[in-house]
């Protein structure tokens, strides 16, 4: 058995422990475990809230034929990251979503005739080490796209369909089993945002310094300078002020959290959403603004904006009706109004998060990103002067300026 573990190695070293877990994971088909290989974690810039490993189990089935099963293991990280995750109960929230919310979601949607697979199946949850074991979707030919390339219209529509179904199901879950959702509402958004205050402060300052060097952006740079001081308050307001119609937001919808499956002709068959650690009960505009401004190709977003919001609303309202919810179903105009009210969330997503999304993956260093040092300043300058980011952000900044989102 080969083991390749870099973190929590003391918890993951016993061969007998691995074999016992492997047999439990494979379940009934496993007559005998042949080997259990733990692949190295993913590279830098892939996941902040957990350490990701891939398990490959070779076993003999009941017919004594050799088979392979693969799983993804998400482990609570150690060090400062682990302390932050534990402080805000983020890992336990994701466990709750996989164990309680997503199974209810699947059941409810199946009753409407929808067989959409919204997320990977949770195989089990471990306590030592604290970990979530999921099916490995790459084993069934799901794949991620290049996070630095915006999603096309087909991919965007498919994701919005799944987001709308997830949102609608969460409303019904809240009506049927409010405790399942209230377990997630207890998160102190203010504390969590304050923990990221360094990111907002140093990120906005570094971006402002970069923009002052661009011709024709003097007024925008001035707006950003004024916005920096109250940006945290504006971000908190987006979460704290809940509208009449609320849903369970995924709250981290960007390209690396989607996997796609295609047929032999390259036609998109299915889309799944990953990583539910930052779920939030509130306005659907939180998910929509974040997704549309971080992950969708700019031309698609600007050209098809009204169509995309209408498609989301059409799917949302139909699913809500099929689920026989008792709450009032919002009109498409209500969704547009919420998107505008939560415009500063689009600013946050585009100006700061998109800088990380568009950076070459092997250059992402969260430590340097947050560092209030000369090294940190140099790193952020490199990130915000990245030609791909500059090309993306210039027209977006003008949009925000004209819409008043920078005021």
């Amino acid at each position: 058995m080969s083991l390749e573990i870099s973190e929590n190695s003391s918890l993951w070293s016993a061969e007998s422990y691995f074999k016992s877990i492997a047999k439990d994971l494979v379940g009934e088909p496993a007559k005998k475990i042949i080997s259990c290989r733990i692949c190295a974690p993913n590279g830098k810039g892939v996941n902040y809230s957990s350490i990701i490993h891939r398990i490959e189990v070779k076993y003999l089935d009941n017919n004594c034929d050799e088979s392979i099963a693969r799983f993804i293991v998400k482990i609570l990280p150690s060090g400062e990251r682990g302390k932050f995750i534990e402080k805000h109960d983020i890992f336990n929230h994701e466990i709750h979503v996989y164990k309680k919310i997503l199974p209810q979601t699947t059941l409810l949607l199946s009753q409407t005739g929808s067989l959409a697979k919204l997320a990977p199946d949770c195989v089990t949850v471990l306590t030592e080490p604290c970990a979530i074991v999921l099916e490995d979707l790459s084993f069934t030919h799901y794949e991620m796209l290049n996070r630095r390339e915006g999603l096309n219209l087909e991919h965007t529509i498919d994701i919005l369909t799944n987001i709308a179904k997830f949102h609608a199901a969460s409303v019904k879950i809240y009506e049927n089993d409010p405790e399942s959702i209230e377990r997630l509402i207890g998160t102190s958004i203010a504390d969590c945002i304050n923990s990221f205050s360094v990111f907002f402060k140093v990120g906005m300052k570094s971006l402002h310094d970069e923009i002052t060097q661009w011709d024709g952006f003097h007024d925008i740079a001035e707006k950003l300078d004024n916005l920096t001081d109250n940006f945290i308050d504006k971000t908190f307001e987006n979460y704290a002020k809940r509208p009449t119609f609320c849903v369970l937001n995924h709250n981290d919808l960007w390209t690396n959290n989607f996997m796609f499956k295609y047929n032999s002709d390259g036609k998109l068959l299915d889309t799944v959403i990953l990583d539910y650690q930052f779920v939030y009960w509130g306005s659907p505009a939180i998910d929509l603004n974040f997704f549309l401004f971080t992950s969708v190709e700019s031309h698609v977003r600007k050209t098809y904006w009204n169509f995309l919001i209408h498609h989301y609303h059409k799917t949302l309202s139909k699913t809500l009706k099929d689920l026989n919810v008792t709450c009032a179903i919002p009109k498409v105009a209500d969704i547009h109004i919420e998107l505008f009210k939560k415009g500063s969330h689009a600013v946050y997503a585009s100006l700061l998060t998109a800088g990380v999304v568009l950076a070459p993956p092997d250059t992402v260093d969260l430590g340097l990103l947050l560092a209030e040092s000369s090294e940190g300043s140099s790193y952020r300058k490199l990130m915000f002067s990245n030609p791909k980011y500059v090309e993306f952000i210039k027209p977006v900044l003008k949009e925000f300026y004209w819409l008043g989102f920078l005021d």
Side-chain angles (χ1 to χ4, degrees), residues 146-346:
N146 184 345
R147 77 191 214 182
R148 303 183 72 206
E149 301 295 331
L151 298 172
N152 65 22
L153 182 61
E154 181 185 24
H155 290 93
T156 302
I157 290 172
D158 211 52
I159 292 168
L160 284 173
T161 300
N162 281 357
I163 293 170
K165 289 180 178 180
F166 176 70
H167 285 175
S170 72
V171 174
K172 187 63 176 180
I173 291 171
Y174 190 56
E175 291 184 355
N176 290 344
D177 181 17
E179 289 185 3
S180 289
I181 300 295
E182 288 169 355
R183 162 72 174 79
L184 302 168
I185 296 176
T187 304
S188 173
I189 292 294
D191 287 346
C192 198
I193 290 173
N194 285 335
S195 294
F196 276 111
S197 61
V198 173
F199 174 64
F200 297 135
K201 182 174 68 174
V202 299
M204 289 293 283
K205 183 181 185 307
S206 295
L207 180 59
H208 167 266
D209 293 345
E210 189 64 28
I211 290 175
T212 56
Q213 303 175 48
W214 300 348
D215 291 337
F217 281 80
H218 173 76
D219 290 347
I220 290 176
E222 188 174 308
K223 293 277 188 183
L224 278 182
D225 191 32
N226 295 330
L227 183 62
T228 300
D229 292 335
N230 63 0
F231 192 64
I232 294 174
D233 291 337
K234 280 182 170 291
T235 303
F236 172 65
E237 285 177 9
N238 282 327
Y239 288 104
K241 292 183 178 179
R242 294 191 176 98
T244 303
F245 179 76
C246 290
V247 300
L248 189 64
N249 287 262
H250 178 279
N251 203 20
D252 194 22
L253 288 171
W254 67 290
T255 312
N256 263 30
N257 281 337
F258 310 124
M259 294 188 77
F260 305 94
K261 189 173 185 177
Y262 307 87
N263 66 13
S264 57
D265 295 325
K267 178 179 173 56
L268 180 62
L269 296 176
D270 196 18
T271 302
V272 295
I273 303 172
L274 313 173
D275 293 348
Y276 292 82
Q277 59 264 39
F278 296 116
V279 291
Y280 158 78
W281 182 255
S283 170
I286 295 294
D287 267 353
L288 293 174
N289 271 332
F290 193 92
F291 167 60
L292 292 169
F293 278 97
T294 62
S295 304
V296 177
E297 200 275 320
S298 293
H299 172 74
V300 171
R301 175 179 56 78
K302 289 187 283 189
T303 304
Y304 296 100
W305 177 271
N306 290 331
F307 166 76
L308 294 172
I309 302 309
H310 185 271
H311 174 77
Y312 164 83
H313 175 266
K314 183 179 179 180
T315 307
L316 175 77
S317 58
K318 181 182 185 305
T319 308
L320 289 169
K321 290 173 184 176
D322 289 344
L323 291 172
N324 296 313
V325 299
T326 60
C327 70
I329 297 176
K331 296 180 174 65
V332 67
D334 297 325
I335 303 297
H336 280 289
I337 291 169
E338 272 301 299
L339 286 164
F340 189 83
K341 285 182 176 179
K342 297 292 189 288
S344 58
H345 196 72

Side-chain angles (χ1 to χ4, degrees), residues 14 41 83 94 112 125 144 158 203 247-248 258 306 309 316 390 396 400:
K83 291 177 183 177
E94 184 167 28
T112 70
V125 172
M144 286 185 179
D158 211 52
V247 300
L248 189 64
F258 310 124
N306 290 331
I309 302 309
L316 175 77
V390 173
V396 171
F400 290 158

